[in-house]
């Protein structure tokens, strides 16, 4: 049976809201947290972008749940040596309950420091080298590295966890999936694609964890929930490599006419039908995922957490349904 977690969206919520959502997630019965790592939101309708490492520090004081970035790009905006220090500190603060999720990133977040945005094959090379540097630094030994893309001189992390931080790699196509299988401690992908999971397992992933995430929009008015999902997260439905290449939120806003309510209705689970939400989660379980993280779109977070606590999580976790007043988020 998979573990079910909550996906905190730094693109859509500020720091205080994210911490409060984490508290409600723990009270509702979610078992872990994902948190996105963005410099920009995808569009103005989302409207936030707090620094993820500061928020994680607050989360460690607010809840006892494991935390993972989903995902950090450790190659352009931040040097891998700096990401290693941030991840090691988070692991110490969580008592070893932190995993580092990494990926090749998007121009939206990474090009802000200037310079060209590399093609995908170069970004995969950079990611593999970055992971090597980060793992070497997790040992607590001095690291000197003169590689193709990065230089590290006389670097040593003095604050490190007892065990190295696991590094899970995000992938949506065969090349990134192959890299995750070869060098990752786990695999992250965002659709319940059984074929992709199989390629990961056969390529070297073996028994390592596979994690997935989805966004839903719970609400009593399904049409309104669909509209909100399209307006706020329509960027997820853009074709091809647009999400990796467009450089600013303004450019994503210009693509809004490409996404219709019908597309959103068929792609996001919207409304208050518990069986539809259960089905969306179990699709990941059926595809072989070990961990599934769900994120609520929009401001009705308390309604979402109460709905999942009483109607959804008991079904997917195999527990008796909670009564409406029992353990309600406060």
């Amino acid at each position: 049976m998979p573990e079910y977690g909550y996906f905190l969206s730094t693109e859509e919520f500020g720091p205080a809201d994210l911490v409060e959502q984490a508290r409600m997630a723990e009270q509702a019965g979610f078992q872990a947290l994902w948190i996105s790592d963005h410099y920009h939101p995808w569009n103005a309708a989302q409207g936030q972008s707090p620094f993820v490492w500061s928020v994680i520090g607050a989360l460690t004081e607010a809840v006892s749940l494991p935390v993972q970035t989903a995902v950090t790009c450790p190659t352009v905006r931040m040097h891998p040596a700096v990401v290693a220090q941030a991840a090691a500190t988070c692991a110490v603060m969580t008592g070893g309950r932190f995993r580092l999720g990494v990926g090749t990133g998007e121009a939206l977040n990474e090009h802000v420091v200037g310079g060209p945005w590399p093609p995908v094959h170069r970004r995969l090379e950079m990611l593999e080298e970055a992971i090597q540097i980060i793992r070497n630094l997790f040992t607590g030994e001095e690291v000197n590295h003169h590689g193709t893309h990065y230089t590290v001189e006389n670097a040593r992390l003095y604050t490190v966890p007892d065990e190295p931080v696991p590094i899970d790699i995000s992938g949506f196509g065969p090349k990134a999936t192959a890299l995750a299988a070869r060098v990752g401690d786990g695999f992250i992908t965002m659709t319940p694609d059984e074929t992709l999971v199989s390629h990961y397992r056969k390529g070297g992933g073996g028994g390592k964890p596979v994690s997935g995430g989805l966004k839903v929009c719970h609400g009593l008015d399904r049409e309104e929930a669909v509209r909100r999902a399209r307006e706020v997260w329509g960027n997820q439905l853009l074709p091809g490599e647009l999400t990796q290449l467009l450089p600013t939120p303004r450019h994503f806003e210009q693509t809004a006419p490409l996404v219709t309510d019908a597309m959103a209705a068929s792609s996001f689970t919207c409304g208050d039908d518990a069986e539809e939400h259960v089905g969306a989660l179990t699709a990941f379980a059926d595809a072989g995922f070990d961990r599934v993280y769900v994120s609520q779109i929009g401001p009705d977070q308390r309604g979402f957490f109460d709905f999942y606590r009483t109607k959804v999580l008991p079904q997917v976790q195999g527990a008796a349904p909670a009564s409406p007043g029992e353990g309600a988020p406060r």
Side-chain angles (χ1 to χ4, degrees), residues 63-153:
V63 298
S64 61
L65 298 177
V67 181
Q68 178 169 29
T69 55
V71 296
T72 293
C73 179
T75 60
V76 177
R77 174 168 43 106
M78 290 180 67
H79 192 283
V82 179
V83 174
Q85 185 184 29
T89 299
C90 289
V92 171
M93 294 180 71
T94 59
R97 300 187 310 277
F98 177 76
R99 296 180 77 93
L100 176 63
V102 298
T104 57
E106 305 92 13
L108 175 72
N109 298 303
E110 308 307 322
H111 90 290
V112 296
V113 295
W117 178 236
V120 64
H121 73 275
R122 183 67 56 83
R123 301 202 308 271
L124 286 167
E125 291 175 3
M126 295 170 71
L127 181 60
E128 183 167 4
E129 186 175 337
I131 290 170
Q132 177 189 348
I133 292 168
I134 292 168
R135 285 209 172 109
N136 287 341
L137 285 165
F138 284 161
T139 67
E141 302 295 326
E142 182 176 300
V143 173
N144 289 279
H145 175 92
H146 298 275
T148 303
H149 302 288
Y150 301 104
T151 297
V152 180
E153 293 185 348

Side-chain angles (χ1 to χ4, degrees), residues 40 45 52-53 61 108 111 202 223 246-247 282-283 289 311 322 329:
H40 289 142
V52 69
W53 305 104
E61 291 295 306
L108 175 72
H111 90 290
K202 292 177 181 178
E223 290 185 2
L246 295 180
T282 56
F289 283 70
K311 301 290 181 61

